[in-house]
Amino acid sequence: MRARKSVSGIAATAVILIVAAGCESDSGSNSTTSTSETTHDMRSSMGATASSVVSSALDTAQQKIQDVINAAIAAAPITFDSGSSDLGAGDVATIKAVAIPLKGNDTKIQVTTYAQDSNAAAAKSLAKARGDNIAAQLESEGIDKARVLVRAEANPAAPDVEVDEAKIEVVAG
């Protein structure tokens, strides 16, 4: 909610400043541009500037949400026992902490889960079950499941991937 109020406040301030700047006149100029053209150009410029300010404020709000999510996961990562998709009590507590900044806005997230198995289909199935369990827990915390994208990866090759650990990232939406 705080992020939405900040975005609204920034946007309102930008619009007021743009309108005030647009109201200044050059009474001494001998312009041949028609009033209609000037008004159209001014509206286009105001719209583009307001859009840019709102976009920047949304990016900042999304980054703040990501920062809170990162802090929660850094303090207590969401991990799974090898071969399991069950969430432990600590995982549920972390997911509750992740849900807090997601309430009161429409920020979308991507939950990425992994699994390792000699059978690629079994690994993919386990990774998906892990992501689905996190999504279901977020939904039980009041986060609309349409805002949660689950990405399941089987047998990841990247050396920095913790196979039994989930990642959560804010995505553009």
Side-chain angles (χ1 to χ4, degrees):
M1 190 66 167
R2 193 175 287 162
R4 182 167 280 181
K5 286 182 182 178
S6 296
V7 171
S8 297
I10 292 169
T13 301
V15 170
I16 290 169
L17 291 173
I18 293 167
V19 170
C23 289
E24 292 180 7
S25 66
D26 287 336
S27 57
S29 72
N30 292 328
S31 175
T32 58
T33 307
S34 75
T35 304
S36 175
E37 289 174 9
T38 302
T39 302
H40 175 72
D41 290 344
M42 185 174 76
R43 286 183 182 159
S44 294
S45 176
M46 286 175 31
T49 302
S51 177
S52 175
V53 168
V54 170
S55 177
S56 177
L58 286 173
D59 289 345
T60 300
Q62 287 182 336
Q63 184 58 53
K64 288 183 186 252
I65 292 169
Q66 183 67 60
D67 291 345
V68 173
I69 290 170
N70 290 346
I73 291 176
I78 301 170
T79 59
F80 299 91
D81 290 334
S82 183
S84 173
S85 62
D86 295 337
L87 295 169
D91 301 321
V92 172
T94 299
I95 294 168
K96 286 181 181 196
V98 165
I100 292 170
L102 296 172
K103 293 180 180 179
N105 60 66
D106 59 356
T107 302
K108 294 182 180 183
I109 60 169
Q110 176 175 285
V111 175
T112 305
T113 50
Y114 310 92
Q116 191 81 35
D117 193 294
S118 59
N119 179 335
K124 181 76 169 180
S125 178
L126 177 58
K128 183 172 179 346
R130 289 173 170 182
D132 289 344
N133 284 347
I134 293 170
Q137 186 62 44
L138 284 165
E139 187 176 13
S140 76
E141 295 300 322
I143 307 305
D144 183 358
K145 66 181 174 183
R147 295 172 47 202
V148 181
L149 171 67
V150 173
R151 185 174 139 223
E153 289 190 30
N155 302 325
D160 63 332
V161 171
E162 295 291 333
V163 176
D164 294 321
E165 198 169 296
K167 293 182 182 177
I168 300 177
E169 299 174 311
V170 170
V171 293

